Amino acid sequence: KEAILLVGGKGTRLRPLTVHTPKPMVPAAGVPFLTHQLARARAAGVEHIVLATSYLAEVFEPYFGDGSSLGLSIDYVTEREPLGTGGAIRNVASRLTSGPDEPVLIFNGDILTGLDIRALVTSHAASGADVSLHLTRVEDPRAFGLVPTDGTGRVTAFLEKPQTPEEIVTDQINAGAYIFRRSVIDTIPADRPVSVERETFPGLLASGAHLQGMVDSTYWLDLGTPQAFVRGSADLVLGRAPSPAVPGRCGDRLVLPTASVAPDAKLTGGTVIGDRAVIGEGARIDGSTVLADAVVEPHAVITDSLIGAGARIGSRTVLAGAVIGDGAHVGADNELRDGVRVWCGATLPDASVRFSSDQ
Ligand code: GTP
Ligand code: GTP
């Protein structure tokens, strides 16, 4: 079996963490996020993977090589100009080895999910569909592409980011994993940007193709935003999100072996401390990800935040839902909350940002 992974997006919502690193290479639970997806695909029987790269394309191959360390054979295809999700799929067609009627799995590179990949393959074969899609149910579908189905699971429409109540006809959304019959990939236009969600799927439906939805409501999270990314990383550590690539039993936290943590520091809620990071005495870190070479000075209090590689957080500083870019320096006695982002390499002087005590 073979799969395409779409990993070429710019990851704008995850900036500044995606300034130097493409989103699928940002570490989650101690390894580049993509490692979890590759390991899950391998566990489901996939042997050949084509990575469709564009933004910061050069970093993938030096890390994953030919894929043999994961038991995979990995090919890399880089777009000259970003081709969008559909264009990226079409652009790797020449690397596929499947026959015209065989199934090709396709995954967005930023989804953390417990999807039963084998069940999707089985459902695809049983229904005889041209394309099968993983659907999941969400409470507020407004930010997603809705995919209503009939009683047999056959897709009846694609509704991108509906806003009015009348448009919200289902709670089923496109969860970012598909199976295409190999020959369907060749029908996507080559050499121009194409969105699989906005153009290919609606076009296939209009032409009478059979698109089949499979609802699988196990763990599902789109790691596109910083808030979602830290939560996904913590859920991997806590065992709430499944991955064969999470190192060992890590309990409430994951401290990489080369990190240095003061004995009375408190790490909870799936916190990850990256390579060579240093955590000072009395620091309290909950549900957060601290990347490699970052320094957290004594008595800092950090919750639900992402600290970039080589960043430094000053003593007693409070971070709650903040994102600190690579190499940034937040001085002592600051307080940053609710989605504040500090750019890569930026410096915040001591005691320069505060919230009033009644907030
Ligand atoms: P945002 O800029 O924050 O929306 O993130 P993104 O650029 O990753 O876009 P989005 O989350 O919609 O992309 C879904 C998946 O498709 C991700 O895994 C992207 O890496 C991938 N992707 C998006 N656009 C392209 C593209 O032009 N080429 C390739 N190869 N992959 C893409
Ligand atoms: P327990 O599972 O609670 O017994 O901890 P552990 O020692 O097994 O934790 P783990 O193997 O995940 O961490 C390896 C090293 O990281 C530990 O020996 C500690 O030096 C450090 N560490 C991990 N968690 C904490 C924590 O919450 N506080 C402190 N101060 N250090 C920690």
Side-chain angles (χ1 to χ4, degrees):
K1 282 206 291 273
E2 63 186 344
I4 301 168
L5 265 105
L6 302 174
V7 295
K10 288 202 171 76
T12 48
R13 290 167 297 156
L14 203 56
R15 284 184 193 157
L17 288 160
T18 46
V19 171
H20 304 124
T21 310
K23 177 164 55 175
M25 294 301 283
V26 177
V31 293
F33 175 67
L34 184 55
T35 315
H36 302 293
Q37 288 185 309
L38 293 173
R40 281 182 49 76
R42 182 68 194 92
V46 173
E47 289 166 345
H48 178 220
I49 299 246
V50 184
L51 287 187
T53 66
S54 171
Y55 178 66
L56 299 176
E58 63 281 3
V59 305
F60 292 93
E61 190 163 1
Y63 189 87
F64 292 107
D66 64 1
S68 53
S69 64
L70 289 162
L72 288 162
S73 155
I74 302 182
D75 269 326
Y76 302 83
V77 178
T78 301
E79 292 144 39
R80 251 170 285 137
E81 301 291 331
L83 290 172
T85 46
I89 294 167
R90 175 66 178 82
N91 189 54
V92 306
S94 65
R95 301 295 185 92
L96 300 172
T97 58
S98 303
D101 284 324
E102 288 188 277
V104 176
L105 288 88
I106 300 175
F107 300 103
N108 278 359
D110 53 358
I111 302 293
L112 179 58
T113 176
L115 166 71
D116 184 341
I117 297 171
R118 288 181 194 273
L120 186 63
V121 174
T122 306
S123 150
H124 180 77
S127 71
D130 297 302
V131 177
S132 298
L133 297 91
H134 170 208
L135 309 179
T136 190
R137 298 185 200 281
V138 293
E139 265 173 37
D140 182 1
R142 277 174 302 181
F144 301 99
L146 298 197
V147 187
T149 49
D150 69 13
T152 66
R154 191 165 173 147
V155 174
T156 55
F158 287 90
L159 308 163
E160 269 300 317
K161 302 190 175 50
Q163 294 307 322
T164 66
E166 301 79 65
E167 287 176 316
I168 302 177
V169 297
T170 177
D171 61 355
Q172 296 174 179
I173 63 155
N174 173 359
Y178 324 114
I179 299 181
F180 275 59
R181 180 205 304 275
R182 165 73 178 83
S183 58
V184 173
I185 292 175
D186 299 319
T187 68
I188 301 172
D191 297 323
R192 71 161 168 91
V194 177
S195 160
V196 76
E197 302 89 346
R198 287 163 208 276
E199 183 177 339
T200 308
F201 290 149
L204 284 168
L205 200 59
S207 72
H210 177 179
L211 292 98
Q212 183 77 13
M214 188 190 83
V215 178
D216 178 312
S217 294
T218 52
Y219 188 98
W220 185 85
L221 191 62
D222 171 355
L223 301 197
T225 65
Q227 288 71 24
F229 198 93
V230 274
R231 207 169 95 214
S233 177
D235 284 346
L236 282 162
V237 172
L238 295 170
R240 291 181 189 150
S243 168
V246 173
R249 181 199 66 84
C250 30
D252 209 23
R253 74 198 70 97
L254 173 62
V255 177
L256 295 200
T258 54
S260 158
V261 179
D264 67 346
K266 206 162 175 296
L267 311 176
T268 53
T271 286
V272 182
I273 308 297
D275 284 316
R276 300 171 302 278
V278 177
I279 310 300
E281 63 190 53
R284 295 203 311 250
I285 310 184
D286 183 56
S288 298
T289 293
V290 177
L291 296 181
D293 302 298
V295 175
V296 174
E297 293 181 344
H299 305 289
V301 179
I302 300 175
T303 50
D304 303 333
S305 296
L306 248 165
I307 316 296
R312 175 176 284 266
I313 309 302
S315 298
R316 295 171 303 279
T317 279
V318 175
L319 303 179
V323 185
I324 312 300
D326 297 342
H329 183 179
V330 178
D333 301 299
N334 284 293
E335 188 176 340
L336 304 179
R337 293 185 178 273
D338 303 334
V340 166
R341 301 178 193 215
V342 175
W343 208 254
C344 301
T347 297
L348 273 182
D350 293 351
S352 56
V353 182
R354 283 283 191 165
F355 275 64
S356 66
S357 55
D358 55 82
Q359 261 186 316

